[in-house]
Amino acid sequence: MRPPAQPARGRPRSEAVERAILEGTMKLLEEGVPLGELSIERIARTAGVGKAAIYRRWSGKEELFVDVLLSIEPDQPELPGTSMRDDLVVLLEWLRRRGLASRSSAILRTAQAQMKSSPRIWEAYHSAVIVPRRRLGVEVLRRGQRAGELRADLDVELANDLFIGPMLVRSVLRPDADLTEGLPERIVDTLLEGLRPAGAVTRPRSGGSPTGARSVSSPPVSPECARFVTDHP
């Protein structure tokens, strides 16, 4: 006969307790409590748990604060993979919606403002959120280069900044600027006009056949020439 199973050592973590701690911290942030006054004791009292429950999960308030930031950060968007343009539009639409959420969320505004006052928190946030996001955008551009949708000699790191820069400016530096629907398409299409290889074929936006990257138009006709054609059919 097998010996009876031994109980697992240690106390299992409760998701409900973790959620209560995160939400308690969010509540204090929403009330405008600065990071310097955000003590573990105050968080525990707001969450309705003991301080030991917090220290079993986080080494201190800085580590807890980073997890709070991650919990309110939206998931990375799922890219369609149909073309570089489509993937870029989805990425910028995600940034547009995030910008709208930041404007309407007191928690996000307070958390982002206080995060930049702490180098340790900013570095942790940068590694966990910003670096993967930039890596995703750069990979989209590299796939575009391999597919001939983007010039092969282009610096994709710089190109990534060119694509996301206008959306970040409107989201962060110009809170009064409009983040209207269709803005991602306008940004992407405007930049791609100058970044595509010469003679590249563009994918149709909605139906129709592919067209050249640069439209060919007739040269302007002078009034004298127009009169000559009219008088001499």
Side-chain angles (χ1 to χ4, degrees):
M1 294 180 61
R2 293 181 180 178
Q6 297 294 322
R9 292 185 178 182
R11 183 179 301 175
R13 291 185 176 182
S14 168
E15 292 185 5
V17 171
E18 290 190 6
R19 174 49 52 186
I21 296 170
L22 292 173
E23 290 180 353
T25 309
M26 291 181 201
K27 183 176 184 297
L28 292 171
L29 290 173
E30 194 170 18
E31 293 173 354
V33 178
L35 184 60
E37 300 176 14
L38 202 65
S39 66
I40 293 294
E41 182 177 2
R42 190 169 185 177
I43 295 171
R45 186 168 60 250
T46 304
V49 300
K51 290 193 297 183
I54 298 178
Y55 282 118
R56 277 197 298 269
R57 294 162 173 82
W58 295 278
S59 61
K61 66 178 182 181
E62 288 82 7
E63 187 178 339
L64 169 57
F65 190 79
V66 171
D67 272 4
V68 168
L69 291 173
L70 296 178
S71 70
I72 59 180
E73 190 73 26
D75 294 333
Q76 293 280 16
E78 184 176 348
L79 303 182
T82 51
S83 70
M84 178 186 66
R85 176 193 178 273
D86 294 344
D87 288 348
L88 289 172
V89 168
V90 169
L91 286 175
L92 291 193
E93 174 63 15
W94 181 88
L95 283 177
R96 185 184 77 87
R97 292 181 179 274
R98 187 182 182 279
L100 291 173
S102 296
R103 291 180 180 181
S104 61
S105 171
I107 297 177
L108 279 171
R109 290 198 305 273
T110 303
Q112 290 168 0
Q114 297 192 44
M115 169 180 60
K116 295 178 182 179
S117 65
S118 171
R120 289 178 55 192
I121 293 176
W122 170 250
E123 179 60 32
Y125 178 82
H126 183 270
S127 300
V129 176
I130 297 178
V131 169
R133 188 183 303 160
R134 285 190 56 84
R135 188 183 301 123
L136 182 61
V138 168
E139 180 54 33
V140 167
L141 295 174
R142 283 180 177 150
R143 289 200 302 266
Q145 280 185 322
R146 292 193 292 267
E149 300 174 88
L150 201 63
R151 281 169 28 205
D153 63 338
L154 201 65
D155 181 346
V156 291
E157 293 279 353
L158 176 59
N160 185 61
D161 291 341
L162 291 175
F163 279 104
I164 67 174
M167 192 67 74
L168 290 179
V169 166
R170 288 185 174 233
S171 301
V172 180
L173 300 181
R174 293 184 55 200
D176 59 322
D178 290 334
L179 292 172
T180 55
E181 291 186 13
L183 180 60
E185 288 88 346
R186 288 164 51 200
I187 293 173
V188 171
D189 291 335
T190 299
L191 285 169
L192 285 182
E193 285 298 320
L195 298 181
R196 283 197 184 98
V201 175
T202 63
R203 294 177 181 268
R205 299 181 194 174
S206 55
S209 4
T211 59
R214 298 180 182 272
S215 59
V216 179
S217 57
S218 301
V221 179
S222 66
E224 293 79 6
C225 183
R227 283 197 299 271
F228 178 84
V229 172
T230 303
D231 297 338
H232 302 80

